[in-house]
Amino acid sequence: MATAQQRGGTLTVGLGYDIDTLNVYSTGFLGDVQAAVVEGLVAPDAKANYVPVLATQVPSVRNGGIKVAADGKTMTVTYRLRPGVKWSDGQPLTSADVKFTWEAVKNPKFIAESKDGTEDIASIETPNATTVVVNYKRVAPDFMSTLFTFGILPKHTLEGKDLNTDSYNEKPLGTGPFRVKEFRRGQYVILERNPYYWRKDSKGVQLPYLDGMIFKIIPDSNTLVTQLRTGEVQLAYSIPYSQVKQIDGVPGLRIVKNNVLSWQHLDFNLKTVDAFKDPNVRKAFAYAINKSAVSKALGGYPNPINSVVVPVFSYANAAVPRYDYNLTRAKQLLDAAGWKPGPDGIRVKDGKRMSFKIMAQAGRSTDEDAQQVIIASLKQAGIELQPDNKSGVAFRDARYKGNYDLFYGGWITSADPTYSVFFGSKGVNNGQGYSNPRIDTLLTRAESTLDPAQRTAALREFQSALMADLPSIPITTNPSMIAVTEKLGGFVPNPTNMTNFVNTSGWYLK
């Protein structure tokens, strides 16, 4: 544990993307900065197990926090809030804030990146200032991966305000270890210590140890690596694999491998590209992609996968339909679908060339490197792909609205993923426009039971059905390589979408 002498100092973090908003419910990116400012009732720890934060315990059937109705169709979740917690303006956190969070996020006028969990709630009761009783319309085993885990909103400053335009989006009020001092778009966010923070260390010293944190926005990975080498940045994640060895040799820096709950994928636009509506064309793409070559091009760090459920989960299905690299099979499927090689080798059908644009996140060199391998692999099958990479808000909007032909990128999930957000007909991350009634049914079944055996069975069947239909090709699961100064103590990476900054209060500079 840090000593009193180790209190103080400012940590500089490099972010590889441009921040759109600091409202955790509006952002289209990971809430790195937000996680150091805004807290939820519970959060996943370094082992992806939920632990209490603003709540005194994680609700469960065993401790009485979860009660399922006699008919098995609905449930009630009760949270007990920590007494004495204050917002960073000194006002007390109460159960009214939790109820307000639900009301504000579900408000039809609020444009949220995700409203997951809001429609599952029938009502919320607040019998006293520290008790929250949430009445669900259904049995919702995924309740901890939505809504109240990402953050609680302050009723006393936001009630009656337009959450789409309020200054909260640039300077959110939270209960976390830090508060926002300054946010300059496209450049940086400066955080300072929250003087009202509730947590103390084992010696009774009020946390956080750090005086503040600076998040520098550096979308270009080469620039980010340069600033790590010069010491201008002391921590950054998703370091390009091609530069890991170089950084590992820089005095004062160390590399930490974080096996995040994520997978890389190639998505087909099923709304506007007619060729992709043929499942045999999608399967031809899968057979033509050499996943091992993708991994090799990225230093061998990524692991090829065959399902969208990463192997770490107990319900991962190893028996899904596989599409191991087979260029001959890819060509056979395309021939059978009527796509014949043209004079330049690119396939043609009804006078239309098999030429598409493929989008990745601009400046993210690891994704751009993988994209080039995919382009080269598919060209051997007679398919032409042209990069159409975007960054910042343009990338976010294209990803969610499906403004692409093909999209290569990655998804990182919670400790308890809700796959309907990606593959359900109404999923918020389903920009590709995929809709399959059987998939919807299986995911509803999986996301409506507290029985682990029933949930596992539904999720395994979902994986087999999804891979048979193949709206998205899982490519690899990529560990995140983190570069961090050796002077930083208390740092432990987090593998979930709650980010590495979900528990910064115990970090200190030696």
Side-chain angles (χ1 to χ4, degrees), residues 268-337:
F268 299 94
N269 186 324
L270 302 172
K271 294 186 291 189
T272 61
V273 182
D274 290 339
F276 297 156
K277 295 176 183 178
D278 183 344
N280 285 325
V281 169
R282 302 197 294 269
K283 292 175 183 178
F285 270 68
Y287 279 119
I289 295 174
N290 189 337
K291 298 177 183 178
S292 295
V294 173
S295 176
K296 185 177 180 180
L298 300 179
Y301 293 100
N303 295 312
I305 54 174
N306 299 301
S307 172
V308 298
V309 175
V310 294
V312 68
F313 290 118
S314 61
Y315 47 82
N317 187 352
V320 296
R322 293 172 61 110
Y323 304 90
D324 296 329
Y325 179 58
N326 188 330
L327 188 57
T328 300
R329 181 60 179 147
K331 291 178 178 179
Q332 290 172 345
L333 286 171
L334 292 173
D335 287 340

Side-chain angles (χ1 to χ4, degrees), residues 359-379:
M359 181 184 77
Q361 185 173 350
R364 192 179 179 90
S365 63
T366 296
D367 284 2
E368 291 178 324
D369 290 345
Q371 180 190 43
Q372 288 301 314
V373 177
I374 292 171
I375 290 173
S377 291
L378 290 169
K379 187 174 183 180

Side-chain angles (χ1 to χ4, degrees), residues 23-78:
N23 184 333
V24 72
Y25 289 106
S26 301
T27 183
F29 299 95
L30 289 176
D32 294 302
V33 176
Q34 297 91 322
V37 175
V38 178
E39 295 178 314
L41 301 183
V42 299
D45 63 11
K47 295 182 179 179
N49 296 315
Y50 285 103
V51 294
V53 182
L54 295 178
T56 57
Q57 65 179 7
V58 176
S60 68
V61 174
R62 178 175 295 182
N63 63 27
I66 301 176
K67 293 184 178 179
V68 179
D71 62 5
K73 294 181 179 179
T74 62
M75 72 178 193
T76 297
V77 176
T78 300

Side-chain angles (χ1 to χ4, degrees), residues 189-361:
V189 182
I190 299 176
L191 303 185
E192 62 183 0
R193 178 187 285 118
N194 173 8
Y196 300 102
Y197 190 52
W198 56 273
R199 201 187 296 259
K200 296 180 180 180
D201 69 11
S202 61
K203 297 179 181 178
V205 176
Q206 185 185 9
L207 298 176
Y209 294 118
L210 295 173
D211 289 334
M213 299 174 70
I214 299 174
F215 288 81
K216 297 179 69 174
I217 299 169
I218 311 173
D220 183 78
S221 55
N222 291 319
T223 303
L224 179 59
V225 168
T226 297
Q227 294 200 16
L228 278 165
R229 294 171 66 89
T230 61
E232 296 170 79
V233 168
Q234 297 164 295
L235 186 154
Y237 66 92
S238 294
I239 300 301
Y241 298 131
S242 60
Q243 303 198 48
V244 169
K245 290 183 179 179
Q246 299 176 39
I247 294 177
D248 203 20
V250 175
L253 284 179
R254 64 188 177 101
I255 292 291
V256 177
K257 182 180 180 181
N258 185 17
N259 291 313
V260 292
L261 304 178
S262 72
W263 77 97
Q264 299 296 117
H265 53 91
L266 182 68
D267 289 353
F268 299 94
N269 186 324
L270 302 172
K271 294 186 291 189
T272 61
V273 182
D274 290 339
F276 297 156
K277 295 176 183 178
D278 183 344
N280 285 325
V281 169
R282 302 197 294 269
K283 292 175 183 178
F285 270 68
Y287 279 119
I289 295 174
N290 189 337
K291 298 177 183 178
S292 295
V294 173
S295 176
K296 185 177 180 180
L298 300 179
Y301 293 100
N303 295 312
I305 54 174
N306 299 301
S307 172
V308 298
V309 175
V310 294
V312 68
F313 290 118
S314 61
Y315 47 82
N317 187 352
V320 296
R322 293 172 61 110
Y323 304 90
D324 296 329
Y325 179 58
N326 188 330
L327 188 57
T328 300
R329 181 60 179 147
K331 291 178 178 179
Q332 290 172 345
L333 286 171
L334 292 173
D335 287 340
W339 290 93
K340 306 296 184 180
D344 61 352
I346 303 303
R347 292 176 179 269
V348 180
K349 180 180 181 181
D350 298 330
K352 185 173 182 179
R353 284 163 50 84
M354 199 165 218
S355 179
F356 308 102
K357 291 182 178 180
I358 177 172
M359 181 184 77
Q361 185 173 350

